[in-house]
Structures are given as structure tokens and as C-alpha cells.
Amino acid sequence: MTSLLILNGPNLNLLGTREPEIYGAATLADVEAACVAHGTAEGITVACIQSNHEGALVDAIHAAKGAHAGIILNAGAYTHTSIALHDAIAGTQIPTIELHLSNVHAREEFRHHSYIARVAVGVICGFGAAGYTLAIDAMLAHLGEAS
Ligand code: CA2
């Protein structure tokens, strides 16, 4: 069965606890449960990992090789800083969608640049928690496995 990995980076464990005007009211557990339920409805498996540590995110991308057909990655602030995450995606060649809850292009200048976008299949941002299920659908369409 097709499996996708939902990979969330630093501070996303705080979702739903602060800054709801930017990131919404849903907790990370809510978002992950919605992704798993959406995957079940689509006939696929969805696994979820969150880490605040750059190296742990690199390790998760490496471990996804052969285990998951694609990655939905909200790398949080590492999006704007991490050549290591860029290299992990490029090195494993796992189809990856870059995702953000907020519209990073409507925010501070430092959020406009992404090291991930260059190696991503595509980028989804600005749709809040709904972006995660949109990204699952987009990944399945990309993989040619939408039900
Ligand atoms: O919009 C997104 O999803 C971001 O990836 C979120 C990151 C930010 O650095 C990116 O530029 C855009 C920050 C995640 C912090 O999440 C929090 C959630 C609730 C309360 C505090 C932080």
C-alpha cells in the first residue's frame, strides 16, 4: 500500500497553543489525525513525524527512502536556512511537497526564500491546516495514485 510521510519541523508542536491568527486553532495532533483519516479515505497509509532538530529531520528523510512514496514537509523555519534538508531531499530523490500553514510570501522578507522549493515537486502555503490534506491529494496526483 502506498505510504506518505507527513514531516513537521521546529515549533510545529506548539500549533494550536499560540498565534492562532497566523497558524490556526488546530493542534498538531488534530492536523496529524486529519492526515491519517484522509489517507485512510484515499486507501493509503499516512505516517507522521515532528522534530525540533535539523539532524533528526535529515535522518527522517533518509529513513523514508523505500518506506514512503512521498513526503509532505513543513520544515518550519529550517525552510529558510537549511541546506542540509535541501541535500537530504536531493540525495534521496523522494518526491517532496513543501508546505506552510501561513502564506510565507505575505510575511517577513526572511520567509520569502526557501532552500526546499528548489528540490520540491511543488509548494503549498497559506491554506492553514487544510493545506496538509491538499498536499496529500497533490502528492497522490503527482504519483498517479489518486483514487
Ligand atoms: O507557515 C508555516 O507553516 C511555517 O512553516 C511555520 C514556521 C515559520 O518559521 C515558517 O516561516 C512558516 C513556524 C512554526 C511555528 O509554529 C508555531 C505555532 C504556534 C505557536 C508558535 C509557533
Side-chain angles (χ1 to χ4, degrees):
M1 186 185 283
T2 298
S3 180
L4 300 183
L5 175 64
I6 311 295
L7 186 55
N8 282 295
N11 295 309
L12 287 156
N13 54 310
L14 299 177
L15 272 184
T17 65
R18 277 182 281 144
E19 301 189 80
E21 67 286 357
I22 300 176
Y23 298 118
T27 65
L28 181 61
D30 294 335
V31 169
E32 291 181 343
C35 288
V36 170
H38 193 68
T40 301
E42 293 294 330
I44 63 155
T45 299
V46 170
C48 302
I49 296 174
Q50 186 274 331
S51 177
N52 294 319
H53 305 278
E54 187 176 15
L57 295 167
V58 170
D59 286 344
I61 292 168
H62 291 177
K65 188 75 183 171
H68 303 287
I71 300 174
I72 313 299
L73 174 62
N74 185 346
Y78 289 144
T79 304
H80 318 299
T81 63
S82 180
I83 298 170
L85 288 177
H86 166 286
D87 289 350
I89 296 163
T92 57
Q93 292 284 295
I94 303 170
T96 298
I97 291 178
E98 175 183 336
L99 175 80
H100 301 286
L101 293 150
S102 63
N103 178 358
V104 287
H105 300 288
R107 300 183 64 193
E108 303 94 326
E109 194 81 29
F110 64 81
R111 297 187 203 277
H112 296 183
H113 177 262
S114 166
Y115 282 101
I116 310 298
R118 192 178 171 89
V119 287
V121 171
V123 180
I124 294 174
C125 72
F127 295 100
Y132 284 83
T133 49
L134 289 172
I136 289 172
D137 290 342
M139 182 61 80
L140 291 178
H142 174 75
L143 297 172
E145 297 182 24
S147 61

